Structures are given as C-alpha cells and as structure tokens.
Amino acid sequence: MNRRNFIISGLAAAALARQSLAAVKSASPLEVAVTSPWLTNGAAVSSQGTIFINLPRFKGHENSPALAKVTLNGPVPFPGNAWNQWRAGDSGVDQLVNINAVHIFNDDLVWVVDQGAPEDGTPAPGAAKLVAFEIATGRVSKIVRFDAQSLPPGGAPNDLRLYGDLIFVTDSGLGGIIIHNLKTGVTKRKLSALPELKKPPKLAQKGFGGRILSDEKGKRPEVESDMLEVSPDGKWLYFSTPTGPMRRIATRYLLDDALDDATLQGHIEKYADIPSIGGTAMDSQGNFYLSNTESRSVERLLPGGKRQVLIQDDRLISADALFIDRSRNIYIPAPQLEYLPSSNQGVNKTAAPWFIYKFPLP
C-alpha cells in the first residue's frame, strides 16, 4: 500500500471509529440529566422531580454557590440568599461553605453536609454542619452543628444517611461514625479512628485504568471513612473508604451505648473487597450499587462480594455519589476529580461544563 492510500485508509478508519463511538453513545441508556458550569459531585431528586446539586469548593473551584437547584434555564443558586454568598474570610457559620453531599429522603427536605471550610481549610467553630432546607421555600428546617466531641479537630463530615429519627454521618478526616437523634437532639460519635474506619495503608486510591492518584510531590489522597448505607430494614450500617474494603456493623450494637468502641470493633464485619469508588447507593430492596472510578462504570454489588457491571461509559469521569429517584433512575455525577491537581501530579485538567448522567435501573 502506498503512503497516499495508507493515509486515506487511516482517515477512513478514524471516521469509522468516530461513527462507532457515536453509535455506542446513542445506543447507551446513559443520558445527560444536568449540565453545570460548576464542578458538581452529587445530585438529589425530590418526589416532584426537582434536581438539586452540590458544588464542593476544591482548589480552583471556590467561585460557586455551593448548592443549586436545576431549572429549565440551568442550575441556579439555592436557596438563593445569604446562604449562597460565602466568601473567603467569612466564618461560614450561617453560610454554605463546602458542600460534600446532598440528599433527599422521605421527609422531602434537601439535606446537605457542609464541611465548613474549603479544601485543606480549617472550619470556624460551628461552621461544620448539616442543614435541611424546605424544597418549596428554601427556608431552613433543621441545622445540626458538630462540637469538638462529635467532630474533633481534623475531622471532616462527609456523607449522611437518614433512617427514622437517626442521621448517620461519616467522618472522612479522622475516621468514625457520627449519629444524631433528631427526636432527642443528642449527637454521639462511634468507632472513632478505628483501623477499620481508615484507608488501609497498602491500598491506593485509583482513577481510570488503575492510575494511582497523587499530587506533584507524590502525595496520595488519604480519605478515611467516606461512603455509607443503611439497609432498608435498618439492621445494618455499611461503610467504606474510597479504596475499600466495604465493611458493616449491626445497628443494634452501634446504637448500644453500653458498648465502647473497643467492644464495637469486634462486631465489625468485612463485607466485600471493592475497587476504588466515588460513591454508593442502596435501593429499597437492599440492592447495593457502586460507582467504579477505575473502569468508569456503575456496578451492582452482589452478596458474597461479586460485582455485576450495569453500565460502562468513558463519560463517567471520576463517577461519584449515586442517587436513586422514585422512578428507579440512578444519577451519576462525573466531577473529573481524578484531573484535579491534587490527584493528577499537580496538573489541572478539569474543564467545564460538568455533567450528571442518569439511566434506569432494571
């Protein structure tokens, strides 16, 4: 084959590859649910179908409203008042500073986890908090603040789940579970800094293709307890670091105040080894779902630790927190976290816009 024919054949092959990729995307059940001008790593959907997204303030991404509601014209700040007007130097006590998770449960309130300070910052007293907003009005329905006993210095509230009157929160800074009783107003800290709540030292957090994440100095992410789920019957609390493994503890032990952490440690069970993940979800039937950041996929975690790939798509860059709406659509943010300087050898390769995708569960 001469060079001219070689070039023509190469161009034809490239065109065919693009057509094949387009065909795969058009055939894929994955569709864009949200397009955001700000980095977003979480979504929650109300019973009426309104979508809310959280906007964490990582380095280089501080100029966002922290929380937004998706409208026909795109995301707009929510609730759209002083809560969205935090600026560097503000205390953040009554402002949304660094939202790491957003959820809507059966109470149909928008719950957020505010770490109280931007990435690598130190929150002012009272700035680390949970806030619940009324969907229709944006009024604050509930604020849960953390004191030094429930969140010691170095702690970072990460994610939450609600079961009955109890809120369960992971601490990804030190490792631990925070439990707040909405009825009594009492907050307690459990499993504090136990090895099972920390990233195993031999495991590394990975991005696409198994690339080990690190900054320009080779420092790797050290995220402690992060993901959590409560089984539909309330009998089990599952938790994990982004590297795994997935572990669980029976809530009857966790809620027994007669048992100290050393005793509770003996009741922690290893549930499954998992790849690096960005988030989890559990449906009303107890099915467990993982967002696999190494393969850009969403998987079902089966009893016994086996995993079933439900969807794989290269658009799921750093697939993060998962959310299942009432129509059994699962929402998957693609926040590009593996391209942040802290995970990409100091080079920022993130680029707007950011997308949240969805597809129907079987």
Side-chain angles (χ1 to χ4, degrees), residues 161 227-232 236-241 245-249 271-272 274 277 279-291 298-310 322 324 328 330 361-362:
R161 293 295 184 269
M227 300 78 184
L228 80 163
E229 299 293 341
V230 181
S231 61
W236 293 96
L237 177 76
Y238 297 82
F239 56 89
S240 173
T241 68
M246 183 67 64
R247 293 187 169 95
R248 70 178 185 175
I249 185 171
Y271 185 69
I274 57 174
I277 62 172
T280 61
M282 183 174 280
D283 66 17
S284 59
Q285 299 173 7
N287 295 308
F288 217 126
Y289 303 92
L290 310 173
S291 53
V298 174
E299 303 175 344
R300 180 186 284 129
L301 179 61
L302 303 173
K306 292 184 178 180
R307 307 196 312 272
Q308 174 190 18
V309 176
L310 298 182
L322 302 174
I324 302 171
R328 286 185 62 80
I330 190 165
L361 289 174

Side-chain angles (χ1 to χ4, degrees), residues 32-175:
V32 175
V34 178
T35 302
S36 170
W38 307 293
L39 188 156
T40 173
N41 68 343
V45 186
S46 75
S47 60
Q48 302 301 312
T50 304
I51 303 174
F52 296 84
I53 60 175
N54 68 291
L55 313 159
R57 288 189 166 111
F58 297 119
K59 285 185 178 179
H61 297 274
E62 294 86 357
N63 296 322
S64 75
L67 180 65
K69 177 173 70 173
V70 180
T71 71
L72 293 176
N73 296 318
V76 298
F78 181 86
N81 51 30
W83 283 97
N84 296 113
Q85 295 172 3
W86 178 88
R87 294 292 181 270
D90 294 346
S91 71
V93 173
D94 291 313
Q95 296 166 302
L96 299 178
V97 184
N98 189 11
I99 307 301
N100 193 66
V102 58
H103 278 283
I104 297 176
F105 303 101
N106 290 335
D107 57 9
D108 225 23
L109 297 172
V110 181
W111 283 93
V112 297
V113 180
D114 187 358
Q115 295 187 338
E119 185 182 20
D120 296 335
T122 301
K129 55 193 175 291
L130 311 177
V131 187
F133 294 97
E134 295 178 0
I135 289 174
T137 65
R139 287 195 294 263
V140 172
S141 176
K142 185 73 176 177
I143 300 179
V144 178
R145 301 191 190 275
F146 302 106
D147 58 20
Q149 284 69 47
S150 59
L151 191 71
N158 190 289
D159 207 350
L160 84 162
R161 293 295 184 269
L162 184 65
Y163 187 87
D165 291 321
L166 299 177
I167 302 175
F168 297 87
V169 182
T170 45
D171 174 1
S172 61
L174 300 172

Side-chain angles (χ1 to χ4, degrees), residues 210-253:
R211 178 177 67 87
I212 294 176
L213 307 183
S214 68
D215 65 12
E216 68 277 14
K217 296 181 180 179
K219 181 181 178 182
R220 300 176 180 180
E222 294 288 334
V223 182
E224 316 300 359
S225 49
D226 184 336
M227 300 78 184
L228 80 163
E229 299 293 341
V230 181
S231 61
D233 58 10
K235 291 183 178 180
W236 293 96
L237 177 76
Y238 297 82
F239 56 89
S240 173
T241 68
T243 63
M246 183 67 64
R247 293 187 169 95
R248 70 178 185 175
I249 185 171
T251 54
R252 71 179 185 273
Y253 298 128

